[in-house]
Amino acid sequence: MEHNQRIIFTNDVPAAINEALDGIDYNRLFVLTDTNTAHFVLPRLAGNEHIAGADKITIKAGDMNKTIEAAGEVWRELVAGGGTRKSVLLNLGGGMVTDLGGFAASTFKRGIRFINVPTTLLSAVDAAVGGKTGVNYRGLKNEIGVFSEADAVIISTCFFSTLPLAEVKSGFAEMLKHGLLKGSDTYNRLLAYDFESRDYEHLLTLLRESVEVKAEIVRQDPQEHGLRRALNLGHTVGHAFESYAMSHKSPIPHGHAVAWGMVVELTLSNMLCGFPGTQVQEYAQFVLENYGAYHITCKDYDALLALMRHDKKSEHGELNFTLLAGVGDVRINISATDDDLRSAFDIYRDLLHI
């Protein structure tokens, strides 16, 4: 289904929900939350008449529950509630909810409309924009999914006060990625952000700039044939860290994994594309101060390399990366050898004092 997606930046979410739904001819509204957003966020929207009259679907929170079985629960609830092709699913939650809800909506009746209201910084900047939906499968991240854009994405910072600071930092890692892709002005503004101040109005301004970086790339390459691969910066290694941690039953936040993954991939950028070493060190220091480190030893390298080969961005078993020659100077489809990766992991451990 082709839609012109609307991205609405506002801290008046009830009014934005009205605006998004008033433009749609629909017969029934379903609201998908997880157990966290059902408790902390949904009550704050109870005064909105669309939300008050909607069927509510709640799934278990946490990325471990982003499964085909959970999507099946959503489909069952849509059927039980009399959902038709003219129904709308409003996904209210973090990236797990927008990913899974978008996938469930896109496959129910061969596709119904959906609206994303991300409640975390990570989902606002990453999962809610760009049309990627999906679920994890057999321990692999986002292995099953489709490209399908929400009708509207309502982006706000008003729910972030309910989040632990670690959650806000998780989303901020994706903003740093967009800053690295865009250029020095954007990137330096992000490095200067003071987490302790919790100035969410200022953060909404930075967030808008960040989302627009991504939206522009997605507009030019919606199905990831070329330029959109720029958005994979930090993710090939980051996803390997995530899957490895999940396999050891000690999951790590997506944004933290990306922050650490970018240390490795900026190191590769330095080795293969001439990215300045001083900027690798500056970025690594910011990560160490705000994210700590994901501890690996040389005994973990083989398992991490195997996970990277599973990654959907590796087409013929080779390891392909989006790297940078400088801030804002993007190089896609750069091949790296196993030895390159081993060296980069060694330097990563050095930079993060592991």
Side-chain angles (χ1 to χ4, degrees):
M1 292 189 299
E2 289 293 322
H3 302 307
N4 290 320
Q5 184 184 57
R6 285 173 292 166
I7 304 176
I8 305 167
F9 294 88
T10 180
N11 278 330
D12 187 350
V13 175
I17 289 171
N18 290 341
E19 181 189 334
L21 286 169
D22 287 347
I24 300 174
D25 175 24
Y26 74 94
N27 64 355
R28 192 173 290 276
L29 176 67
F30 295 82
V31 176
L32 177 67
T33 60
D34 65 16
T35 45
N36 289 335
T37 46
H39 181 70
F40 291 110
V41 180
L42 193 55
R44 294 172 63 172
L45 299 175
N48 178 283
E49 62 184 67
H50 289 292
I51 300 291
D55 288 53
K56 312 300 192 298
I57 304 172
T58 305
I59 54 177
K60 288 179 185 169
D63 204 67
M64 301 285 273
N65 296 304
K66 194 171 85 171
T67 60
I68 200 81
E69 290 77 18
E73 285 177 39
V74 177
W75 293 322
R76 279 195 294 279
E77 293 284 344
L78 290 170
V79 171
T84 73
R85 291 198 72 188
K86 287 187 72 175
S87 299
V88 173
L89 183 65
L90 187 145
N91 300 313
L92 179 68
M96 179 268 197
V97 170
T98 57
D99 275 5
L100 187 146
F103 173 67
S106 304
T107 45
F108 181 70
K109 305 279 188 190
R110 296 196 180 92
I112 63 171
R113 291 171 184 258
F114 64 100
I115 292 167
N116 286 334
V117 184
T119 58
T120 66
L121 181 54
L122 180 60
S123 57
V125 77
D126 181 37
V129 177
K132 282 187 176 181
T133 72
V135 294
N136 303 333
Y137 187 66
R138 296 196 169 184
L140 297 170
K141 289 277 297 175
N142 302 322
E143 189 78 350
I144 309 292
V146 296
F147 284 101
S148 182
E149 286 211 325
D151 252 62
V153 183
I154 298 167
I155 293 183
S156 154
T157 55
C158 68
F159 301 124
F160 296 175
S161 58
T162 67
L163 301 174
L165 189 56
E167 276 280 323
V168 177
K169 287 181 176 179
S170 192
F172 200 82
E174 291 284 353
M175 293 173 65
L176 284 168
K177 178 194 77 176
H178 293 154
L180 283 163
L181 296 174
K182 175 72 173 174
S184 295
D185 288 352
T186 303
Y187 178 58
N188 290 334
R189 273 195 289 278
L190 292 168
L191 288 183
Y193 182 72
D194 176 15
F195 285 109
E196 297 310 313
S197 75
R198 295 233 179 184
D199 181 348
Y200 290 136
E201 284 299 326
H202 177 45
L203 188 58
L204 186 61
T205 304
L206 295 173
L207 180 53
R208 181 175 196 139
E209 188 175 8
S210 186
V211 168
E212 284 170 354
V213 172
K214 178 173 183 179
E216 180 53 33
I217 290 172
V218 170
R219 263 195 295 276
Q220 293 180 54
D221 181 19
Q223 304 252 320
E224 206 170 273
H225 295 305
L227 177 65
R228 183 167 176 162
R229 294 184 183 189
L231 295 171
N232 295 335
L233 180 67
H235 282 62
T236 302
V237 175
H239 279 165
F241 283 162
E242 272 186 284
S243 294
Y244 195 54
M246 208 184 287
S247 72
H248 286 77
K249 301 289 189 287
S250 54
I252 54 178
H254 172 74
H256 288 57
V258 169
W260 297 319
M262 284 196 293
V263 175
V264 178
E265 295 188 23
L266 289 182
T267 298
L268 280 178
S269 296
N270 170 255
M271 291 161 55
L272 302 176
C273 302
F275 186 86
T278 52
Q279 287 191 302
V280 179
Q281 290 171 330
E282 177 188 45
Y283 174 77
Q285 186 58 36
F286 183 90
V287 168
L288 188 59
E289 287 170 10
N290 289 290
Y291 299 87
Y294 181 59
H295 284 253
I296 58 170
T297 72
C298 50
K299 292 176 184 169
D300 301 315
Y301 293 2
D302 284 347
L304 289 166
L305 287 165
L307 284 164
M308 279 183 249
R309 288 208 161 74
H310 263 296
D311 194 278
K312 57 200 170 303
K313 293 173 275 290
S314 172
E315 289 169 13
H316 305 291
E318 82 290 4
L319 293 173
N320 267 343
F321 292 87
T322 292
L323 300 178
L324 299 174
V327 176
D329 188 353
V330 184
R331 306 294 164 91
I332 59 173
N333 290 337
I334 303 294
S335 292
T337 65
D338 285 12
D339 283 347
D340 292 333
L341 262 298
R342 290 174 194 283
S343 297
F345 283 137
D346 284 343
I347 295 167
Y348 160 88
R349 288 166 58 206
D350 248 5
L351 288 166
L352 298 188
H353 305 166
I354 297 169

